[in-house]
Amino acid sequence: MGAIPLHSANNTAHPCILDFHHIMATSTPAWTNGDLYTWVGPTTGGNWSDVSNWSYDGAPATHVPDTQTNQGTVTIPSGVTVTVSSATSTLSGVNIKVAGTLDIASGTSALAVNNLEVASGGTANIQRPLTANNVLQVDNGGTATFSNVSQDWSGYPGLKPSIATGGTLNFDNSNITLGSVSGSGIAGNLNISNGSTVKTASNSTTITGPITVNGAGTSFTDSSALQSTLTLNDGAKATITTNSPC
């Protein structure tokens, strides 16, 4: 059979061609599922925004995970360090699971994600404000550290932490107001150091894990019904207000 003409005798488009374009226009773009992304870049020093560091569904990626990657979860594997540079301002559609190390560089704007999970053995080093549509989740054995960050987590857009028993949340030289929490709240280790000022906005912050405040100029202020142990070292200060009857 001969080739199908692009136009019919009356110079109108052939219906098969129209159907083909319709199919192409409505197909799902090949970068929306985070489960299909695999890191193939270097074990250290790799940039999230370099497309050559990713494969998608077994083939070289043509698009990095970004706001359009709104399905599944992008995983940073154990033994790998990935950097989100200051040039990246939003990953708002992306669910991220960190089994290795994720370094979020300092920047002039907050970084938006959909969900950030730091798995057992994983580390997230965060040097600018972070917002999440869902939650900052730190599993047993995971560690999230905020350095040189000033942010009110109680406002919108804010950040709801869910720190499991055995997980660790560190604040280093940071000014943080904690608000509502997710799940069991902060059940893991909360470490405040190096001149940080951390406070709870209201009694909506549930903290049951141990709190350690280190160093002169470092302070913790709690206005919720504190349910954890509090340790002050080297001139650190704490102000505790409780609504519980004395």
Side-chain angles (χ1 to χ4, degrees):
M1 183 178 69
I4 299 175
L6 294 178
H7 294 82
S8 61
N10 61 0
N11 205 35
T12 58
H14 195 283
C16 291
I17 300 299
L18 290 175
D19 287 345
F20 174 78
H21 282 294
H22 176 73
I23 293 170
M24 292 298 291
T26 58
S27 62
T28 302
W31 57 75
T32 59
N33 191 341
D35 291 338
L36 298 181
Y37 273 101
T38 301
W39 180 261
V40 294
T43 55
T44 59
N47 192 316
W48 180 288
S49 298
D50 185 344
V51 71
S52 67
N53 288 329
W54 298 98
S55 71
Y56 189 87
D57 199 16
T62 59
H63 199 94
V64 300
D66 64 5
T67 57
Q68 299 175 83
T69 309
N70 53 15
Q71 306 169 43
T73 300
V74 178
T75 298
I76 306 302
S78 177
V80 168
T81 299
V82 176
T83 298
V84 177
S85 72
S86 58
T88 301
S89 61
T90 180
L91 299 171
S92 62
V94 186
N95 297 311
I96 304 172
K97 182 175 182 178
V98 184
T101 300
L102 179 66
D103 290 335
I104 299 176
S106 59
T108 57
S109 62
L111 178 70
V113 299
N114 191 52
N115 189 80
L116 177 60
E117 176 188 358
V118 186
S120 179
T123 300
N125 300 311
I126 302 157
Q127 298 186 57
R128 58 170 142 158
L130 179 74
T131 63
N133 294 332
N134 290 323
V135 66
L136 166 65
Q137 175 181 333
V138 181
D139 299 337
N140 181 7
T143 301
T145 299
F146 288 78
S147 300
N148 306 308
V149 174
S150 294
Q151 186 179 8
D152 184 351
W153 290 10
S154 68
Y156 181 85
L159 194 62
K160 291 183 178 181
S162 176
I163 316 300
T165 301
T168 300
L169 176 61
N170 298 322
F171 293 119
D172 177 72
N173 192 32
S174 294
N175 185 348
I176 302 293
T177 299
L178 300 169
S180 299
V181 296
S182 180
S184 58
I186 302 175
N189 306 298
L190 176 58
N191 300 319
I192 306 167
S193 63
N194 196 22
S196 293
T197 300
V198 176
K199 62 182 179 180
T200 58
S202 66
N203 59 8
S204 61
T205 305
T206 303
I207 305 175
T208 57
I211 304 169
T212 303
V213 188
N214 294 310
T218 304
S219 65
F220 173 68
T221 302
D222 181 70
S223 58
S224 63
L226 195 64
Q227 304 173 55
S228 61
T229 59
L230 174 64
T231 303
L232 303 178
N233 296 320
D234 302 325
K237 297 180 179 180
T239 302
I240 307 299
T241 302
T242 178
N243 295 322
S244 300
C246 297

